[in-house]
Amino acid sequence: MLILLSLLAAYLIGSIPFAVVVSKLMGLDDPRSFGSGNPGATNVLRSGNKKAALFTLIGDAAKGGLVVWAARCFGPTLGLDISSIVLIAVAVFLGHVFSIFLRGKGGKGVATAAGVLLGIDLLLGGAVLLAWIATAAISRYSSLAAVVAAIVAPVLTRAITGSEEWTVGVMAMVVVLLWRHKANIARLIKGEESKIGSKKKDAAN
């Protein structure tokens, strides 16, 4: 019963759509109404409001990081084993991607996945984040940065944590994240993907 309640709580927290909440509080258009229609920080940035995009990024990452941190800190005391804690981490990520508050739709999971990785291990999260930043800085493609970071994440998880359970959990998130980016990957191959900073009127990713 405890693990089921924990998974439900993690999923509900992950489902909080910070892109929509922040945009509404700041009097901006619903991010689902322009650009890619994706309720995430990259699409909020297309509104031209950098503060809103930053708040969205922080919120989406924080929900993943805090849930995993809490599970790791208090889970063992409550009798949760490592496999249960990994499932909680995956649940908060899936909550973002398939938000109950957005009728099963959601963001692509990059910021929340980053938060989860930071919650697992700060060095791990920092290493994957560095891969994202380096790729984004060189290419100016947020989606390409996400794909590169996703590909290296399981390898770094195994190398840094040495945990098979965490590696499997991260791999599960990576599969979902890459699936959510399949349209972006197709546009990258065709050379049609919009770059970071593209305005909402001309962005389609």
Side-chain angles (χ1 to χ4, degrees), residues 22-93:
V22 169
S23 295
K24 186 172 183 178
L25 290 175
M26 299 185 71
L28 304 174
D29 291 339
D30 189 316
R32 294 171 293 175
S33 67
F34 60 80
S36 65
N38 179 60
T42 300
N43 203 41
V44 172
L45 182 61
R46 296 190 179 109
S47 70
N49 193 313
K50 295 180 179 180
K51 286 185 178 180
L54 177 61
F55 291 150
T56 299
L57 178 65
I58 292 173
D60 285 343
K63 64 186 181 185
L66 289 175
V67 165
V68 174
W69 173 81
R72 291 181 62 241
C73 286
F74 305 111
T77 303
L78 296 173
L80 297 179
D81 59 15
I82 181 63
S83 296
S84 298
I85 294 172
V86 170
L87 287 175
I88 289 171
V90 175
V92 70
F93 170 78

